[in-house]
Amino acid sequence: MIKGRTKDNIRLYAAEDFAHMRAAGAKAAQILDEVAERVQPGVSTAELNDFIETRIAALGAQSATIGYRGYRHASCISINHTVCHGVPSDRRLAKGDILNIDVTVIVDGWYGDSSRMYAAGPPPRRAERLMQVTHDALMLAVREVRPGATFGDVGWAIEKHARHHRMSVVREFCGHGLGREFHLPPNVLHFGSPGTGPELREGMFFTIEPMINLGKPETRILPDGWTAVTRDRSLSAQFEHSVGVTRDGCEVFTLSPGGKYYPANWQPRSR
């Protein structure tokens, strides 16, 4: 139930709607947990996508991406220097590849959207560090989510952390509102200045999904019209959560039910 809208046309949902988002987010997160064991050298991204499509159906959900603007797959899978929207194919993973798997499900009309980084065997140290920094940037941004904060606070938390580690934030893509629709206002930028942008209010639902590059931030779109890659072919990483603004903070709808952020076949080194 939409309780209202802000002057920026951001929807405010009722307290009971959190349960719907929790259910949708949990299924997306469960699928991302389950696919982890299948991310291995020699496996194709099409095979990973087939598994995801099968699990979405088995869990009684629908894929939000199949048929979306003509897209035909249940996931986006972005390898190495692919920033986002990588299209599943017959390409097989090589040892040390890193990849983002992005899944959005619909459960009883509500959308759960999340993505996570994986590695096909132990990744190179620079890739491991990139993934850790990107995940930390996301969680620092989540920490900023509360009534009275601004979207500039959220973006600055990400940008500041990336800069500290001499990495860059992709600016062409952003997070978004969601709920009973896939993409809604606001655009959630992953850079910004503290105290700027719309104010966060209880009942807002949106994604935070920073894309961070080891090199420069610029991207380009491949001829398939979907796949975005780094212009300098530097490695890129992304993590995404769907969140809701509560009375006194934030609820993350897409936390791993198994407590996983990384595949079981490798663990990040301590920083």
Side-chain angles (χ1 to χ4, degrees):
M1 178 187 301
I2 300 174
K3 191 170 64 173
R5 298 175 190 263
T6 71
K7 62 183 178 62
D8 300 292
N9 198 34
I10 302 171
R11 297 182 187 183
L12 303 175
Y13 292 89
E16 56 265 30
D17 295 332
F18 278 74
H20 296 296
M21 290 298 291
R22 202 174 293 132
K27 288 188 188 295
Q30 179 180 340
I31 291 165
L32 291 178
D33 271 14
E34 292 176 353
V35 78
E37 295 180 1
R38 296 174 178 267
V39 178
Q40 299 289 345
V43 174
S44 74
T45 56
E47 290 168 341
L48 296 175
N49 181 77
D50 288 345
F51 172 79
I52 290 166
E53 185 173 348
T54 298
R55 291 302 298 146
I56 290 173
L59 291 171
Q62 296 172 265
S63 169
T65 53
I66 295 175
Y68 180 76
R69 297 184 179 179
Y71 195 73
R72 298 181 297 161
H73 307 280
S75 63
C76 293
I77 303 179
S78 304
I79 305 174
N80 293 336
H81 72 287
T82 300
V83 175
C84 61
H85 303 158
V87 179
S89 70
D90 293 334
R91 175 176 175 177
R92 297 192 177 276
L93 299 176
K95 184 177 179 180
D97 279 347
I98 62 170
L99 58 152
N100 176 273
I101 301 179
D102 191 340
V103 173
T104 308
V105 300
I106 308 170
V107 178
D108 297 327
W110 294 83
Y111 286 71
D113 188 2
S114 188
S115 80
R116 204 180 297 173
M117 292 301 296
Y118 302 83
R125 178 69 184 101
R126 68 186 188 283
E128 187 177 327
R129 181 169 169 267
L130 170 65
M131 289 190 284
Q132 186 68 58
V133 168
T134 305
H135 181 262
D136 290 349
L138 169 60
M139 299 314 292
L140 287 168
V142 167
R143 190 181 298 171
E144 296 295 322
V145 176
R146 62 190 179 278
T150 69
F151 282 98
D153 297 333
V154 173
W156 173 240
I158 294 166
E159 183 177 12
K160 179 181 179 181
H161 190 68
R163 283 185 181 182
H164 176 75
H165 291 278
R166 294 185 172 87
M167 299 178 189
S168 63
V169 177
V170 172
R171 293 183 171 233
E172 290 93 338
F173 302 96
C174 60
H176 54 88
L178 81 171
R180 292 185 67 87
E181 295 181 45
F182 198 169
H183 294 101
L184 294 166
N187 289 333
V188 182
L189 305 181
H190 304 122
F191 57 92
S193 299
T196 64
E199 182 177 303
L200 276 64
R201 291 175 55 183
E202 181 182 357
M204 289 181 175
F205 298 156
F206 54 88
T207 70
I208 307 173
E209 45 187 295
M211 290 145 271
I212 295 179
N213 299 344
L214 272 182
K216 296 180 179 180
E218 290 80 14
T219 67
R220 65 184 181 90
I221 306 297
L222 297 186
D224 64 16
W226 288 101
T227 307
V229 300
T230 55
R231 283 191 173 273
D232 62 4
R233 296 187 64 81
S234 63
L235 290 176
S236 186
Q238 178 187 25
F239 283 90
E240 175 185 13
H241 277 314
S242 295
V243 305
V245 184
T246 64
R247 180 177 300 178
D248 56 2
C250 171
E251 179 175 352
V252 181
F253 300 123
T254 48
L255 289 175
S256 160
K260 301 177 182 179
Y261 288 118
Y262 300 98
N265 63 337
W266 69 281
Q267 293 294 325
R269 298 186 183 97
S270 59
R271 290 174 297 156

